[in-house]
Amino acid sequence: MSNAAQPYLVFDAITKTYPGVKALRGVSFGVREGTVHALMGENGAGKSTLLKALSGAHLPTSGCFHIGGREHVFHSTSAAMAAGVAVIYQELHLVPEMTVAENIYLGHMPQRGGIIDRKQLRALAARQLQRLGENIDPDTKLSRLPIGQRQMVEIAKALTRGAKIIAFDEPTSSLSAREIEKLFSVINDLRREGCAILYVTHRMEEVFRICDACTVLRDGTHVRTYESLSETTPDALVKDMVGRDIIDVYGYQPRPHGSVGLDVHRLFGPGLNSPVSLKIAQGEILGLFGLIGAGRTELLKLLFGATPATAGDIAIHDTPVRIRRPADAIRAGLVYCTEDRKKEGILPILSIMENCNISARRHHVFPGGIINTRWEQQNASEQVRSLAVKTPSLQQLIKNLSGGNQQKVILGRWLSEDVKVLMLDEPTRGIDVGAKSEIYQLIFKLAREGVSVLVVSSDLPEIIGLADRLLVMRQGRLSAEFTRAEFEPERILAAALPVETSTAA
Amino acid sequence: MFLDRAGMLLVLAALVIACSFTVPNFATPNNAASVLLAVSTVGIVATTMLFCLASGNFDLSVGTIIPAGGVLCALILRDTGSLPLAISGSLAFGALVGLVNGVVVAKFKINPLITTLSTMMMVKGLAFVFADYRSIGISHEGILDLANAAYPTIHNDRGGVLFQITTPVWICFALFAVFGFVLQRTTFGRNTLAIGGNEEAARLAGIPVDRVKITIFVLQGAVAALAGVLLASRMGIGDPKTAQGIELSIISACVLGGVSLSGGIGRMSYVIAGVFIMGIVENAMNLLNIDIAFQYVVRGAILLSAVLFDRFRQGR
């Protein structure tokens, strides 16, 4: 049955329906041994659903997989594992309180008469880690490893179970540049060893760097599979994903700047290594670039009062303000869209209306804090309309919306306030191309209206496309400033890369 | 959507109908009056427990604030004879315990279960100290009249009472209405649900999280003391040993009705349904002369199946 020309893993007309939604419609394509196969598509295109079917977490409504010529339908994750499938999700499935070795062999630890053979466990785990070129002590508690090494532990775990098909779900989204290099070299090794690798990502550069083939999904259907990436271009892939041309997703145009909107003088607190001073004019978009862990989010949280600052002065529209907690910042017109929407942004089990009005309603309540239902309804529907949030009703729970629509509701929450300074932390992370472009246009519109915008992003093209001026952070301090005329990706990146303090390789 | 909102109220209605046909003496005005009175204590405290649970918190200390509040009321009445002083002193004590709970939970970030377990024990000790290990009789006419005042009272043809709604029941109804409104229609109520839904996001949305939590615990303490005062005046005695284990009945009633133990989900209609389902099952078992030990088994089983049912409904 199986021969060299036949792909090792074949998706055969995979269909998945949820009540009212057809998440996948007969998706068919193949992934060959010894290749890295990119899976692309906007959010909601069906990538995660496909991975869930492959991992055995969700049973497809119809269709099946062929692995090495044999037909499979996975009723459980253990069935998928037994067939040699491992899916490595963005949120890793590891136990933080256990050691690295225990995590790698979780569920099938070497034992003698029912007692775990710790010596063998350690030795086996060490060998696995070495194979991945990782120098981690197997007895380290997992919670003490940085995220990049945890991912390696997850990969090691997959390999000990004899996985031959490894699917990565946006594996680089929270890795540093160096960790990404490490991951890519491991992926290259796995390819050489003959694994069939499925690689889900939003990042175009990564696709063209490490992938051999590429499949694009849109609205749950298979659009096209390129057996070789030389057959296509980034623009063509974007077109496949959105089904239309996006000429310039940013559309930057210079704007006049007004007087100083936000003036920060020698702000200092946890997460910073030296005091930070910066100014943003009214109508200006200031970009803040830096690698993960450079202190960008920490700086925003200090400004917002989410972490109390230990020193520094802040003035908004020339009025000094004292910010000790988020409520102080909001009252002064300084608002903050967090990076981690799920943990720090949305109130998942509450409605869109509730999520939108939670902050601004205090201006509109009757005495005694009694809610003005008329205003609540009006404001929420106005925000939903002007931000083009896609939802059947205002009563819909926000957790049921896509990432882009959730972000719009959070923006609506802040636009219901009298915003003077808007801080956005990775505003388009996990958001599909279409919604991204809408959010960019919104940022430009707000700036034209005189709002000072501070936007953090680790996506260099994005920040170059948006900002009037750029600050770079490195290791807890500001390391460089660029005006728009000076925007050169290489120089910006160089200013962000950590400076080695030791000579170790 | 409709099922979510009214689900347990429908179960309650079905239960009433089923009991009316199968349990002798259940569907009588007299029994209805006694069910109402019997659930009033749990019902009163459940109104604020709703806020506690909805904000993702927990309060065990109500279990001993109830007897302590009653004892304190009886004590102040005996020594001063002043009714306003007795009631306000008792409520102030409950609020103070709530304040301690709230500050420890909100400011020092101690687990509410442990915090309120500790204050529960402390208050239990204090109640015995206040009462000097005895129960204190209440002879103040005013409060006895108040607790037993009833409107409407319907007499039977022999001049006995057929049906009546007494003060504690009216207070319970009033609190259902007031706190139901507060939860749905005020900033404080919405903030409570927001904190239970995602505390960090609520804080970053500018909600004064600590202040809301402390307020909830203070209200909870005061309302528990009020329930204690009503119970004592109904019984005519402030007894430190009364209402044992009531904190668990209160929490079970809320959860049975559909209030989420992990916070963020709750409505007054859930609480009302839970309180009455618990009360009616208990009443029916009493009417059927079911052994008290077996009653515990049944109540536990009902709670467990309600939670399982809820899980099933959400997982769908």
Side-chain angles (χ1 to χ4, degrees):
Chain A
M1 282 289 283
S2 121
N3 57 58
Q6 190 74 30
Y8 184 67
L9 164 68
V10 176
F11 293 83
D12 187 358
I14 303 286
T15 297
K16 175 76 191 175
T17 27
Y18 294 106
V21 193
K22 216 164 191 185
L24 290 175
R25 305 157 196 254
V27 171
S28 302
F29 66 97
V31 181
R32 291 170 195 284
E33 282 164 283
T35 63
V36 180
H37 194 117
L39 182 60
M40 300 194 79
E42 293 193 295
N43 279 5
K47 296 169 309 210
S48 333
T49 316
L50 198 62
L51 285 192
K52 279 181 187 147
L54 179 64
S55 72
H58 287 182
L59 185 66
T61 316
S62 68
C64 64
F65 302 101
H66 300 269
I67 294 174
R70 282 186 54 196
E71 194 178 307
H72 287 273
V73 177
F74 300 132
H75 290 271
S76 69
T77 47
S78 48
M81 259 180 237
V85 176
V87 178
I88 295 175
Y89 291 102
Q90 248 171 310
E91 284 150 18
L92 303 176
H93 294 184
L94 297 169
V95 188
E97 288 309 309
M98 294 176 90
T99 68
V100 169
E102 286 168 331
N103 268 290
I104 294 177
Y105 283 94
L106 201 64
H108 61 145
M109 294 199 200
Q111 44 185 314
R112 216 180 274 152
I115 294 164
I116 292 168
D117 184 347
R118 301 208 67 92
K119 213 166 131 193
Q120 204 199 343
L121 171 67
R122 211 170 300 138
L124 285 173
R127 200 175 318 143
Q128 282 298 339
L129 290 166
Q130 251 158 34
R131 184 174 158 204
L132 294 173
E134 276 295 338
N135 209 356
I136 310 170
D137 176 4
D139 283 335
T140 318
K141 215 191 242 181
L142 186 91
S143 57
R144 300 180 51 180
L145 296 185
I147 185 87
Q149 290 195 327
R150 290 189 204 187
Q151 206 167 43
M152 292 299 159
V153 172
E154 184 90 83
I155 296 172
K157 185 173 151 193
L159 294 177
T160 62
R161 290 159 194 265
K164 204 177 168 204
I165 296 166
I166 301 179
F168 291 93
D169 187 8
E170 300 210 41
T172 58
S173 60
S174 45
L175 298 189
S176 70
R178 192 177 316 175
E179 286 170 329
I180 290 176
E181 291 308 315
K182 179 81 217 333
L183 175 71
F184 284 180
S185 90
V186 167
I187 290 179
N188 279 325
D189 290 345
L190 295 173
R191 164 166 43 201
R192 225 167 293 130
E193 288 168 25
C195 287
I197 297 162
L198 198 59
Y199 191 94
V200 175
T201 185
H202 274 125
R203 297 189 183 178
M204 205 57 88
E205 334 64 273
E206 293 179 1
V207 173
F208 283 87
R209 233 195 97 186
I210 67 153
C211 296
D212 307 296
C214 180
T215 290
V216 179
L217 299 183
R218 189 202 312 145
D219 299 330
T221 53
H222 174 256
V223 177
R224 189 174 294 179
T225 293
Y226 297 97
E227 289 299 340
S228 159
L229 279 170
S230 57
E231 296 166 16
T232 183
T233 61
D235 288 341
L237 285 181
V238 169
K239 202 171 153 185
D240 287 336
M241 280 192 277
V242 297
R244 64 193 140 93
D245 284 290
I246 290 190
I247 300 120
D248 177 2
V249 281
Y250 304 103
Y252 177 91
Q253 277 174 343
R255 269 158 276 110
H257 296 168
S259 52
V260 177
L262 174 72
D263 188 348
V264 179
H265 183 66
R266 295 190 66 76
L267 184 74
F268 190 67
L272 296 184
N273 279 326
S274 99
V276 167
S277 300
L278 59 89
K279 282 182 189 178
I280 313 176
Q282 295 180 33
E284 183 182 28
I285 300 174
L286 177 64
L288 185 60
F289 182 74
L291 304 180
I292 306 252
R296 308 163 311 177
T297 299
E298 288 77 2
L299 174 60
L300 296 196
K301 287 200 167 170
L302 287 172
L303 280 167
F304 192 57
T307 327
T310 52
D313 299 302
I314 299 175
I316 292 172
H317 288 198
D318 289 328
T319 317
V321 287
R322 214 166 145 209
I323 296 175
R324 283 172 303 178
R325 55 179 71 90
D328 298 337
I330 297 166
R331 217 163 293 134
L334 173 80
V335 300
Y336 171 42
C337 287
T338 54
E339 173 186 12
D340 190 337
R341 265 193 308 280
K342 212 162 125 194
K343 262 213 214 113
E344 303 180 329
I346 63 167
L347 302 158
I349 49 181
L350 299 185
S351 65
I352 290 175
M353 187 158 105
E354 203 57 36
N355 271 281
C356 184
N357 294 335
I358 184 97
S359 176
R361 68 158 55 109
R362 68 183 193 288
H363 302 297
H364 305 274
V365 289
F366 299 120
I370 293 171
I371 284 172
N372 182 342
T373 29
R374 189 137 150 239
W375 175 84
E376 302 256 326
Q377 190 83 34
Q378 243 168 27
N379 182 59
S381 56
E382 208 175 288
Q383 298 296 347
V384 161
R385 184 160 33 83
S386 71
L387 296 168
V389 179
K390 283 182 206 103
T391 172
S393 97
L394 296 178
Q395 297 308 323
Q396 175 76 257
L397 300 188
I398 194 168
K399 67 173 181 185
N400 296 336
L401 299 187
S402 70
N405 283 309
Q406 289 182 356
Q407 183 71 301
K408 288 182 191 171
V409 175
I410 301 288
L411 281 164
R413 174 191 296 172
W414 295 132
L415 299 182
S416 315
E417 296 273 353
D418 176 20
V419 180
K420 299 191 177 81
V421 182
L422 173 65
M423 302 194 292
L424 301 160
D425 198 349
E426 301 282 2
T428 62
R429 167 165 296 175
I431 287 178
D432 61 54
V433 182
K436 263 186 189 176
S437 158
E438 290 177 61
I439 285 174
Y440 299 145
Q441 296 322 310
L442 179 70
I443 292 173
F444 288 131
K445 177 172 160 272
L446 291 170
R448 278 197 301 276
E449 288 166 6
V451 174
S452 308
V453 182
L454 178 55
V455 50
V456 163
S457 175
S458 21
D459 186 357
L460 201 47
E462 171 172 289
I463 211 151
I464 288 175
L466 279 177
D468 299 317
R469 187 160 57 95
L470 190 58
L471 293 177
V472 180
M473 278 190 93
R474 168 169 68 199
Q475 293 166 333
R477 50 170 62 90
L478 292 179
S479 62
E481 177 170 357
F482 298 91
T483 59
R484 191 161 177 92
E486 303 166 331
F487 284 2
E488 286 168 39
E490 297 76 17
R491 284 180 62 201
I492 296 169
L493 199 57
L497 292 176
V499 194
E500 289 298 326
T501 44
S502 69
T503 48
Chain B
M1 197 72 186
F2 174 74
L3 245 177
D4 274 356
R5 290 200 179 176
M8 279 296 159
L9 285 174
L10 291 178
V11 172
L12 174 62
L15 182 68
V16 170
I17 294 169
C19 287
S20 305
F21 284 107
T22 57
V23 180
N25 299 324
F26 178 81
T28 60
N30 219 321
N31 189 52
S34 65
V35 168
L36 285 176
L37 191 59
V39 301
S40 65
T41 305
V42 167
I44 286 170
V45 187
T47 56
T48 41
M49 187 63 83
L50 167 63
F51 282 73
C52 223
L53 297 176
S55 68
N57 285 294
F58 207 79
D59 192 354
L60 292 174
S61 66
V62 293
T64 56
I65 294 178
I66 293 171
V71 165
L72 212 54
C73 173
L75 202 67
I76 298 173
L77 276 178
R78 188 187 69 193
D79 294 348
T80 69
S82 158
L83 185 57
L85 201 62
I87 294 177
S88 54
S90 183
L91 293 195
F93 172 77
L96 185 70
V97 177
L99 183 66
V100 172
N101 286 335
V103 169
V104 172
V105 168
K107 296 286 184 195
F108 298 102
K109 320 274 176 224
I110 306 295
N111 179 306
L113 194 74
I114 302 302
T115 305
T116 58
L117 185 63
S118 317
T119 50
M120 176 168 90
M121 289 194 256
M122 283 154 51
V123 171
K124 181 174 185 160
L126 285 177
F128 278 101
V129 172
F130 292 153
D132 200 15
Y133 303 94
R134 283 167 298 169
S135 41
I136 300 167
I138 297 177
S139 50
H140 189 281
E141 288 299 323
I143 195 160
L144 296 176
D145 288 349
L146 189 69
N148 294 315
Y151 180 85
T153 304
I154 300 167
H155 294 277
N156 58 20
D157 44 13
R158 276 161 292 148
V161 173
L162 190 64
F163 178 78
Q164 63 175 11
I165 298 179
T166 52
T167 313
V169 177
W170 279 118
I171 290 181
C172 180
F173 285 169
L175 292 181
F176 281 153
V178 169
F179 283 114
F181 179 82
V182 169
L183 186 67
Q184 287 305 316
R185 296 288 301 276
T186 69
T187 317
F188 173 67
R190 306 317 292 166
N191 288 352
T192 299
L193 286 167
I195 292 170
N198 186 348
E199 181 169 334
E200 188 54 20
R203 195 171 71 97
L204 292 173
I207 289 176
V209 171
D210 292 355
R211 202 164 69 206
V212 172
K213 281 192 191 172
I214 293 171
T215 312
I216 290 170
F217 277 105
V218 168
L219 277 174
Q220 170 86 84
V223 166
L226 173 69
V229 168
L230 289 168
L231 189 64
S233 49
R234 225 172 81 202
M235 304 294 180
I237 131 182
D239 179 3
K241 293 187 296 297
T242 189
Q244 283 194 19
I246 196 170
E247 68 281 356
L248 296 181
S249 304
I250 295 163
I251 293 168
S252 338
C254 292
V255 174
L256 178 64
V259 180
S260 164
L261 260 184
S262 46
I265 302 173
R267 288 172 164 272
M268 192 55 85
S269 61
Y270 297 173
V271 169
I272 294 171
V275 164
F276 278 97
I277 290 174
M278 277 288 191
I280 285 172
V281 167
E282 210 168 310
N283 173 261
M285 288 193 294
N286 284 333
L287 290 175
L288 291 169
N289 270 325
I290 291 174
D291 184 66
I292 185 76
F294 190 66
Q295 290 197 12
Y296 277 110
V297 178
V298 172
R299 279 159 60 184
I302 290 174
L303 179 61
L304 196 59
S305 33
V307 183
L308 287 171
F309 173 69
D310 191 53
R311 180 91 201 174
F312 163 77
R313 200 175 50 172
Q314 284 180 4
R316 211 177 31 185

